[in-house]
Coordinates of all heavy atoms in Angstrom, one line a residue:
M1199 N 0.8 -1.2 0.0 CA 0.0 0.0 0.0 C 0.9 1.3 0.0 O 0.6 2.2 -0.7 CB -0.9 0.0 1.2 CG -2.0 1.0 1.2 SD -3.3 0.6 0.0 CE -4.4 1.9 0.4
A1212 N 5.8 14.3 -11.0 CA 6.3 14.4 -12.4 C 5.6 15.4 -13.2 O 6.1 15.9 -14.2 CB 6.4 13.1 -13.0
L1299 N -3.2 17.9 -4.3 CA -1.9 17.3 -4.1 C -1.7 16.9 -2.6 O -1.1 15.9 -2.3 CB -0.8 18.3 -4.5 CG -0.6 18.5 -6.0 CD1 0.3 19.6 -6.3 CD2 -0.1 17.2 -6.7
L1389 N -25.0 25.0 -46.7 CA -24.2 26.0 -46.0 C -24.3 27.4 -46.6 O -24.7 28.3 -45.9 CB -22.7 25.5 -46.0 CG -21.8 26.5 -45.2 CD1 -22.2 26.6 -43.7 CD2 -20.4 26.0 -45.3
I1495 N -17.3 22.1 -28.6 CA -18.0 20.8 -28.6 C -18.7 20.7 -27.2 O -18.0 20.7 -26.2 CB -17.0 19.7 -28.8 CG1 -16.2 19.9 -30.0 CG2 -17.8 18.4 -28.8 CD1 -15.1 18.8 -30.2
E1535 N -39.5 38.3 -35.9 CA -40.5 39.2 -35.3 C -41.8 38.5 -35.0 O -42.6 38.9 -34.2 CB -40.7 40.4 -36.2 CG -41.3 40.1 -37.5 CD -41.5 41.4 -38.3 OE1 -40.7 42.3 -38.2 OE2 -42.5 41.4 -39.1
D1594 N -36.7 10.5 -25.3 CA -36.2 9.4 -24.5 C -35.0 9.9 -23.7 O -34.5 11.0 -23.9 CB -35.6 8.3 -25.4 CG -36.6 7.9 -26.6 OD1 -37.7 7.4 -26.3 OD2 -36.3 8.2 -27.7

Side-chain angles (χ1 to χ4, degrees):
M1199 191 73 174
L1299 289 170
L1389 180 60
I1495 307 175
E1535 64 181 31
D1594 314 292

